[in-house]
């Protein structure tokens, strides 16, 4: 763990951050979270993940009603991740775009 490397005697936060290609300010933030007990096993127990399965792309019919023509949202999906990351999908969304967003979350 990056934070643990910075806690070793003689360690430099800047050098550890550079070694892992991370901004040193982010590592300092992680250290504060670690010291507050918000990283590690305790935090991992508090997070509940839902299974996600990406199915083969299917052609979906486009809505033809007046609400869709007027640009009114026909639905929405909001995904919130730790660190103030929010992903919002509004209205009719291209399935390929949803697939790309979900796959990017894996990395």
């Amino acid at each position: 763990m990056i934070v643990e490397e910075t806690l070793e005697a003689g360690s430099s936060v800047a050098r550890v951050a550079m070694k892992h290609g991370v901004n040193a300010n982010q590592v300092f933030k992680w250290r504060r979270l670690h010291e507050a007990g918000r990283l590690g096993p305790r935090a991992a127990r508090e997070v509940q993940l839902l299974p996600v399965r990406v199915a083969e792309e299917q052609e979906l019919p486009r809505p033809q009603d007046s609400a869709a023509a007027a640009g009114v949202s026909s639905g929405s999906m909001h995904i919130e991740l730790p660190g103030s990351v929010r992903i919002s999908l509004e209205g009719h969304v291209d399935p390929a775009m949803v697939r790309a967003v979900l796959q990017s979350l894996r990395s």
Side-chain angles (χ1 to χ4, degrees):
M1 184 161 135
I2 295 173
V3 171
E4 291 173 345
E5 285 185 43
T6 68
L7 300 175
E8 295 175 6
S11 178
S12 161
V13 170
R15 277 182 274 181
V16 171
M18 189 179 301
K19 171 184 167 186
H20 292 281
V22 179
N23 184 295
N25 291 330
Q26 180 65 55
V27 176
F28 279 113
K29 181 177 179 179
W30 290 338
R31 281 176 53 133
R32 285 190 300 273
L33 291 171
H34 175 74
E35 291 168 1
R38 295 183 60 202
L39 290 180
R42 193 175 88 200
R45 284 193 308 261
E46 296 170 4
V47 175
Q48 293 183 355
L49 300 178
L50 299 175
V52 175
R53 183 175 62 88
V54 178
E56 292 298 318
E57 185 172 346
Q58 298 176 1
E59 187 65 33
L60 299 175
R62 301 259 181 208
Q64 299 298 323
D65 63 15
S66 59
V72 175
S73 175
S74 61
S76 64
M77 178 189 308
H78 303 281
I79 303 169
E80 294 187 22
L81 303 171
S84 300
V85 175
R86 293 183 184 143
I87 301 168
S88 295
L89 306 170
E90 304 283 340
H92 182 78
V93 180
D94 179 19
M97 180 60 71
V98 175
R99 182 177 292 106
V101 169
L102 294 176
Q103 287 175 339
S104 73
L105 294 175
R106 290 183 187 169
S107 42

